[in-house]
Amino acid sequence: TTRIQVLVPARGRIGGDPLLIVAVATIVGIGVASLHGVTKPTDGGISGELIRQIAFLVIGAVAFVAASRIDYRLLRSAQTLLYLAGIGALVLVLVAGTQEFGARRWFVVGSYSLHPSEFARLAAVITVSALASRRESRPRSFLLVSLLFAVPTLLILVEPDLGSSIVLVAAW
């Protein structure tokens, strides 16, 4: 039997391709510098918006390192649960989400807005990837993949969120 280990870095690296990490760090640095220039208070200090974005940057970096250390095969075993949770979140936002500008797309938690279509898109891609990894190229597989993308796409269109729907259609 194969044992899946959760906290083992791939080939001793944390995060993968060094060139990609440098490119992302450069873009992030330019973004932070630009935000500082745009939101700089008149007293010369640091704006609250810049501090908030840096906090999100740190949270994202920690999540990146954690995700890079998780064996991707765990996602395959959880793909059905992830997909159903994504669909459930999309249905729940239609019923209990916050409505702004004629769209019901977000859950507001404190001062943060959560957009469940982001999670649902990722869950759909993980589910279809797990299916594709079985290498079944039959018409039935094509129909199943189409259905797996169609359900979240239609729910996202009901919110309405055309942009997220287009991303899912492009991923299909």
Side-chain angles (χ1 to χ4, degrees), residues 83-161:
Y83 185 80
L84 293 175
I87 297 300
L90 289 174
V91 170
L92 188 60
V93 80
L94 292 173
V95 175
T98 302
Q99 187 165 355
E100 292 181 27
F101 307 113
R104 190 176 298 270
R105 304 181 194 149
W106 301 275
F107 293 120
V108 176
V109 179
S111 63
Y112 300 103
S113 297
L114 301 175
H115 198 202
S117 69
E118 301 295 332
F119 175 75
R121 286 190 330 217
L122 182 60
V125 169
I126 289 169
T127 302
V128 169
S129 298
L131 178 70
S133 71
R134 295 184 196 129
R135 298 182 184 176
E136 298 174 9
S137 58
R138 298 184 303 222
R140 181 175 168 229
S141 296
F142 176 76
L143 292 174
L144 180 58
V145 167
S146 299
L147 180 66
L148 288 171
F149 274 118
V151 171
T153 301
L154 292 173
L155 287 170
I156 292 170
L157 275 173
V158 171
E159 293 177 1
D161 185 356

